[in-house]
Amino acid sequence: MLYPNTLEQKLGFDKLRERLKELCISSLGQAFVEKIRFSENFGMVEKLVSQTAEMQRILELGENFPSQNYIDATPYLKRAAIEGMLLTQPEFSDLKVSLLTIRLCLRFFESQEADAFPILGEYAKTIRVEKAVTDAIDRIIDDRGQIRDSASPELSRIRKKLISEQAGIRKKLDTILKSARSNGWIGDDVSLTVRNGRMVIPVAAEHKRKLRGFIHDESATGQTVFIEPTDVFESNNEIRELEYEERREINRILLELTAYIRPFVPDLQKAYGFLGLMDFLRAKARLAGEMGAINPPFENRQFIDWREARHPLLHLSFQKQGKKVIPLNIELQEKQRILIVSGPNAGGKSVALKTVGLIQYMFQCGLLVPMLEGSSMGFFQNIFIDIGDEQSLENDLSTYSSHLTNMRHFLSMANKKTLFLIDEFGTGTEPGLGGAIAEAILENLTKSGAFGMINTHYTNLKVLADKTEGLVNGAMRFDGEHLEPLYQLEIGRPGSSFAFEIASKIGLPKAVVARAKDKLGTQQVNFEKLLKELDIERRVFAEKNIEIGIKERKLTKQVADYTALKEKLDNNEKKIVNEAKQKAKNLLADANQLIENTIREIKENKAEKEKTKTVRTTLENFGKNNLKLAEVTEKQPEEEEYEPEGGDIVPGSYVRISGQTAIGEVLSLKGKDAEIRIGDLKSNVKLNRLEKVSRKTYRAATGEKGLKTVSKGVDINERMLNFSFNLDMRGKRGEEALGLVDQFMDNAIMLGYDELRIVHGKGDGILRTLVRNHLRGYKQVAGMYDEHADRGGAGVTIVKLR
């Protein structure tokens, strides 16, 4: 059930219907467009949408599917079904080309795999266009739509004789024409022409008596007459009689052909229904292509789960202007069936409401819907809407009365399979009373189990949604800093109307705004303030969640790398130990063998002094050669070279502390002491402990961007755990801030971050300019831009790293 009967116009579906008509090639398809209706049958909706999706796939694949000659020949077939009637030559020509289109469509589905297009393929199997019919028409009608000479032997004879007679008469007329031209009766540019179906010669009026013949016509000025010479009069009569014979023979042929196809008329009418459906589905598929629409999963239960749904009409309009629609994410389930949307005026509440209604309506009319993959469609048997002003002078209805009339219908007819949409709920009467009635109506609608979406400014409805199961708050996001709507729907929290802020922006006197706040009372003002504070906290926690997520991913990767490395080292250690044991085992075996040989030789030589000495020497050499420890040479770290520089040490000089590696910059001189900066540290050092170094040495040791203290044994894991991609330097002095930026950038580059966030505040823009100019010196920085207005705008710099 749909309510009211103007639902299509209120949602804008009538405009989509007009666009579909424009995309149809023929009146056959347009007739199907007129028949589009909202379906309450789940199976029917599934079939209609699947048909459209199959045609969309056909067009996307670029298959050779017919795209012309979708001609409506059903009126011809109705006449052909009547005994004794005949179809004309142009009608048979239309039949020929349109039947060819039908056969090409059928041939397309026959050539596809059985499961490629299951619904359209099965339907195509029920269509019959007998080859005998198309062959019969083709034997009579040629490719130009004319009757073939070979249509019958008699027609062939007549046309041959007709050509012969026309050639003879033309020869005679050419002779007469040449004679008249030589006599000066006609001009050189005059040629033969036809009047009343007879060949004549144009002659100047003053010479008409000089050429014998019959005058058939004269020019508008009367200066030229068209004469049929007497010599060709009989020949023209013969041609006229042959033309009559040709016409009678053609009528006989067409009458016979019409009688031949008469038994096939029922099958042909069904075939043209198929052709109209193909035209209609092509139009729906092309509209889906224009909108970027899809066929999401469809379930026989009540819910809404859409990702980046776009208002179809707004999408088509913006597309022409080169703009993009801000999409809508919405989810309504059993425990959160009714969405209470609040927010400022002109914030997009009504557009969001109509987006929900129009998308659900068009899907249950068999159209594809503009949203992202991953979305799902539910099924509703009823759609009720209360959008716009229905006041009526004839029915004596005010705006509020019309709303209450709609509510009466909603309350009596709503059930679990109903989707209702209400714009500006409860408006049109005294706010206190209107809010109370709206709350009571909402409670009843909640009990009915219906699904819905309501736009409102009433605080009591927001509070009710927060504490009632089945209801959920939603807000159209708003940039409170710049007082501009963001047109994004956020489910889970109520929105503020920003009435006071908008009033101040428009220029309403501050005293008036302050007095209005006093009149409203602290409870309502505090409620609006709380909403704004909650929005700020939500953004902060969202940033923290992003930061924690990045840390968790980095930590997971580090743990995985550490585990893999440890496992690899353990395996290598085992291999080395095993190799060492094997070598020791071999060495021990060799040593035992050598000892046994030595003992045997000593015994055999009966302990001769020289021989024993030689054997012992051999044994000692074996131990020295095989058990000698290999020398391990460790490369000593190269001493860092410093290029000294002459001259006195003054503020701005680069210096090194004697006996140390740290390099710094002199900030100021105080007697025999110098204040120097090393990294982020400042210190006072005696002048006699400082050595002046060149800028080249300073660059080599610290880099262009600033001081980097030489550190050894950096714990990457610890840095990663303690690093935050968000640097807050609000309130810092310029020199202190740049030191923080350098340290921040060093860690980010070391840890491989690709995006950073620096919070410096707005103020006069001095700190922002200083930071950005400093960052431009880093070759790793790919770009910088302001944060989104909703998350800090120009007070935050987003840094993209290469």
Side-chain angles (χ1 to χ4, degrees):
M1 179 189 296
L2 301 176
Y3 181 87
N5 54 12
T6 57
L7 182 142
E8 277 201 8
Q9 290 73 30
K10 286 182 173 292
L11 292 179
F13 186 79
D14 54 332
K15 295 182 176 62
L16 285 180
R17 195 187 291 270
E18 289 302 316
R19 179 57 185 155
L20 277 174
K21 285 184 179 179
E22 293 173 2
L23 292 172
C24 287
I25 301 173
S26 71
S27 58
L28 284 169
Q30 291 174 349
F32 274 91
V33 174
E34 288 293 342
K35 295 175 184 175
I36 291 178
R37 294 292 181 272
F38 176 83
S39 176
E40 300 172 12
N41 184 299
F42 177 83
M44 178 59 70
V45 174
E46 192 170 36
K47 178 182 177 182
L48 294 175
V49 175
S50 297
Q51 284 179 342
T52 309
E54 287 184 11
M55 181 57 73
Q56 183 187 42
R57 277 206 318 278
I58 291 172
L59 298 186
E60 286 177 349
L61 292 172
E63 298 286 352
N64 188 23
F65 197 80
S67 60
Q68 58 185 1
N69 293 327
Y70 285 75
I71 300 171
D72 184 7
T74 52
Y76 312 155
L77 296 176
K78 289 179 182 178
R79 215 166 59 252
I82 301 172
E83 194 73 32
M85 296 294 290
L86 65 83
L87 301 184
T88 64
Q89 176 184 321
E91 289 171 344
F92 270 116
S93 177
D94 286 347
L95 266 175
K96 176 178 178 175
V97 295
S98 55
L99 285 175
L100 176 60
T101 299
I102 295 173
R103 288 181 63 85
L104 288 174
C105 291
L106 297 176
R107 196 176 302 158
F108 171 82
F109 290 112
E110 289 171 1
S111 65
Q112 302 297 316
E113 296 291 335
D115 58 346
F117 307 104
I119 297 179
L120 296 181
E122 283 300 315
Y123 182 37
K125 291 178 182 178
T126 66
I127 305 303
R128 292 179 60 192
V129 177
E130 295 293 342
K131 189 173 185 297
V133 173
T134 55
D135 287 349
I137 296 174
D138 192 54
R139 280 196 302 270
I140 305 302
I141 307 295
D142 64 16
D143 293 338
R144 296 173 299 144
Q146 303 299 315
I147 304 292
R148 297 182 188 273
D149 293 347
S150 59
S152 74
E154 180 63 14
L155 183 63
S156 178
R157 182 194 66 79
I158 292 171
R159 286 184 171 175
K160 285 179 180 178
K161 189 173 181 183
L162 188 59
I163 292 171
S164 175
E165 290 292 334
Q166 288 173 339
I169 197 173
R170 180 174 289 278
K171 188 175 181 180
K172 290 180 182 179
L173 286 171
D174 283 341
T175 302
I176 296 171
L177 188 68
K178 185 176 180 181
S179 174
R181 189 179 289 123
S182 63
N183 291 327
W185 300 341
I186 60 175
D188 293 339
D189 57 342
V190 173
S191 60
L192 298 175
T193 185
V194 177
R195 284 293 186 274
N196 300 323
R198 303 175 79 89
M199 298 189 73
V200 296
I201 298 175
V203 180
E206 63 267 24
H207 302 299
K208 64 183 179 180
R209 302 294 179 188
K210 298 177 181 177
L211 182 64
R212 294 180 59 193
F214 179 78
I215 298 176
H216 282 275
D217 197 6
E218 68 176 5
S219 64
T221 60
Q223 295 181 358
T224 303
V225 294
F226 299 91
I227 300 175
E228 180 186 2
T230 306
D231 294 347
V232 297
F233 190 77
E234 288 301 326
S235 297
N236 264 331
N237 285 343
E238 181 68 21
I239 289 173
R240 179 59 61 90
E241 288 179 9
L242 288 171
E243 288 175 346
Y244 290 151
E245 286 183 37
E246 180 188 29
R247 192 180 307 164
R248 286 194 297 271
E249 180 61 16
I250 287 175
N251 283 344
R252 186 194 67 78
I253 292 170
L254 295 179
L255 187 64
E256 188 178 282
L257 182 59
T258 304
Y260 179 80
I261 70 168
R262 188 168 291 121
F264 301 100
V265 165
D267 285 344
L268 293 177
Q269 287 177 326
K270 187 176 181 182
Y272 277 96
F274 171 78
L275 185 64
L277 178 63
M278 294 301 102
D279 186 19
F280 173 54
L281 292 178
R282 284 185 78 261
K284 290 204 293 184
R286 289 180 62 194
L287 179 64
E290 291 179 355
M291 296 187 300
I294 64 168
N295 177 22
F298 183 38
E299 299 181 32
N300 192 6
R301 63 184 181 91
Q302 288 67 52
F303 74 98
I304 290 177
D305 186 9
W306 301 346
R307 301 289 176 267
E308 296 195 13
R310 304 176 300 281
H311 190 288
L313 296 175
L314 205 58
H315 179 86
L316 293 175
S317 175
F318 277 23
Q319 199 173 47
K320 294 177 182 176
Q321 304 172 39
K323 298 191 295 185
K324 289 187 177 180
V325 177
I326 296 177
L328 174 75
N329 293 317
I330 180 169
E331 182 176 0
L332 297 181
Q333 300 290 350
E334 181 61 32
K335 293 186 178 179
Q336 294 184 342
R337 301 186 305 276
I338 302 175
L339 177 62
I340 310 299
V341 182
S342 49
N345 289 324
K349 297 193 300 296
S350 295
V351 172
L353 192 79
K354 291 181 179 180
T355 301
V356 172
L358 182 54
I359 286 180
Q360 188 67 43
Y361 185 84
M362 64 189 288
F363 187 81
Q364 291 191 226
C365 286
L367 298 177
L368 304 187
V369 286
M371 57 183 65
L372 276 190
E373 296 289 349
S375 304
S376 298
M377 293 295 298
F379 174 67
F380 296 93
Q381 289 187 340
N382 310 312
I383 297 182
F384 301 155
I385 68 169
D386 178 31
I387 299 174
D389 188 358
E390 292 289 343
Q391 62 178 328
S392 169
L393 294 176
E394 291 80 5
N395 298 326
D396 194 25
L397 287 177
S398 67
T399 300
Y400 189 61
S401 297
S402 71
H403 285 310
L404 290 183
T405 302
N406 293 337
M407 292 305 101
R408 181 185 64 192
H409 181 87
F410 286 19
L411 292 173
S412 62
M413 304 302 294
N415 57 34
K416 293 181 179 181
K417 295 186 177 182
T418 298
L419 175 66
F420 66 85
L421 307 169
I422 304 175
D423 196 21
E424 299 299 338
F425 194 31
T427 58
T429 188
E430 195 274 322
L433 298 177
I437 293 175
E439 185 171 341
I441 292 172
L442 181 55
E443 288 174 346
N444 273 23
L445 288 173
T446 305
K447 292 176 183 177
S448 72
F451 286 67
M453 184 171 173
I454 295 174
N455 292 343
T456 186
H457 290 285
Y458 285 142
T459 302
N460 63 317
L461 299 185
K462 303 177 192 178
V463 174
L464 179 67
D466 191 50
K467 63 183 182 181
T468 305
E469 184 174 348
L471 302 181
V472 60
N473 271 307
M476 298 307 298
R477 298 188 63 189
F478 193 79
D479 182 357
E481 186 174 353
H482 297 95
L483 298 179
E484 294 176 351
L486 300 176
Y487 305 111
Q488 297 171 349
L489 174 63
E490 183 176 355
I491 297 177
R493 69 175 185 86
S496 170
S497 296
F498 288 90
F500 294 131
E501 290 80 2
I502 294 174
S504 299
K505 182 182 180 182
I506 290 174
L508 211 61
K510 293 182 179 179
V512 173
V513 175
R515 195 156 59 248
K517 290 182 179 179
D518 293 338
K519 289 180 178 295
L520 184 62
T522 58
Q523 182 177 358
Q524 181 66 29
V525 173
N526 289 339
F527 182 80
E528 295 289 327
K529 182 180 178 183
L530 180 61
L531 288 178
K532 287 183 284 184
E533 290 176 352
L534 286 174
D535 185 47
I536 294 171
E537 289 184 8
R538 182 197 60 77
R539 291 200 299 268
V540 170
F541 282 116
E543 292 173 3
K544 291 293 183 184
N545 286 336
I546 293 172
E547 183 178 341
I548 292 171
I550 293 173
K551 283 184 177 181
E552 286 181 348
R553 288 194 296 272
K554 293 282 187 181
L555 179 60
T556 302
K557 185 177 183 302
Q558 289 293 323
V559 170
D561 291 345
Y562 170 78
T563 303
L565 181 60
K566 184 177 182 302
E567 184 177 352
K568 183 178 179 181
L569 291 174
D570 289 344
N571 290 335
N572 288 341
E573 182 182 4
K574 290 177 183 178
K575 288 180 182 179
I576 293 171
V577 170
N578 289 338
E579 289 175 1
K581 288 180 178 180
Q582 185 61 42
K583 287 182 179 180
K585 185 177 180 181
N586 295 337
L587 185 62
L588 184 60
D590 293 342
N592 288 336
Q593 183 64 41
L594 183 60
I595 292 171
E596 289 177 1
N597 293 339
T598 302
I599 293 172
R600 188 176 65 253
E601 288 184 16
I602 292 174
K603 286 180 178 180
E604 290 175 354
N605 293 288
K606 297 179 180 179
E608 290 183 6
K609 188 174 181 181
E610 286 301 322
K611 188 64 178 176
T612 301
K613 186 176 180 182
T614 303
V615 171
R616 284 180 176 175
T617 302
T618 303
L619 187 60
E620 289 174 1
N621 290 339
F622 175 81
K624 289 179 181 179
N625 295 332
N626 290 282
L627 300 179
K628 184 180 180 180
L629 297 177
E631 292 185 6
V632 179
T633 58
E634 294 185 5
K635 186 177 180 181
Q636 297 296 322
E638 296 181 2
E639 289 292 329
E640 297 186 41
E641 296 182 2
Y642 297 96
E643 183 180 324
E645 186 173 80
D648 295 333
I649 296 175
V650 297
S653 298
Y654 302 110
V655 295
R656 162 173 98 92
I657 301 175
S658 298
Q660 298 184 20
T661 59
I663 292 181
E665 179 184 3
V666 177
L667 299 177
S668 63
L669 297 178
K670 298 176 182 178
K672 295 183 178 181
D673 293 337
E675 184 183 14
I676 65 173
R677 178 170 67 87
I678 302 175
D680 295 333
L681 300 177
K682 294 180 182 179
S683 178
N684 291 322
V685 183
K686 294 292 184 181
L687 276 173
N688 56 11
R689 292 187 57 205
L690 300 178
E691 300 176 4
K692 190 175 181 181
V693 297
S694 65
R695 182 176 180 82
K696 179 180 179 182
T697 301
Y698 172 79
R699 286 179 180 176
T702 65
E704 281 292 331
K705 315 302 180 292
L707 229 45
K708 295 181 183 177
T709 305
V710 177
S711 59
K712 297 180 181 178
V714 176
D715 190 336
I716 297 294
N717 290 333
E718 183 181 354
R719 284 208 179 188
M720 181 170 292
L721 288 173
N722 295 326
F723 181 75
S724 169
F725 76 100
N726 188 79
L727 175 63
D728 190 344
M729 58 170 58
R730 286 175 290 188
K732 304 291 184 184
R733 293 182 296 106
E735 188 176 289
E736 184 181 5
L738 294 184
L740 289 174
V741 169
D742 287 332
Q743 186 178 357
F744 182 59
M745 289 295 293
D746 287 346
N747 289 332
I749 294 168
M750 180 188 300
L751 298 176
Y753 278 74
D754 57 359
E755 183 174 298
L756 305 173
R757 189 173 186 270
I758 299 178
V759 182
H760 41 61
K762 295 182 181 177
D764 297 327
I766 298 174
L767 186 57
R768 176 182 62 185
T769 304
L770 187 65
V771 168
R772 292 190 178 183
N773 287 340
H774 189 65
L775 287 172
R776 289 189 182 96
Y778 279 87
K779 62 182 180 182
Q780 293 89 349
V781 174
M784 295 171 281
Y785 57 87
D786 289 348
E787 174 63 282
H788 189 280
D790 199 31
R791 296 187 290 276
V796 179
T797 294
I798 300 298
V799 183
K800 287 282 187 181
L801 299 181
R802 291 187 175 91

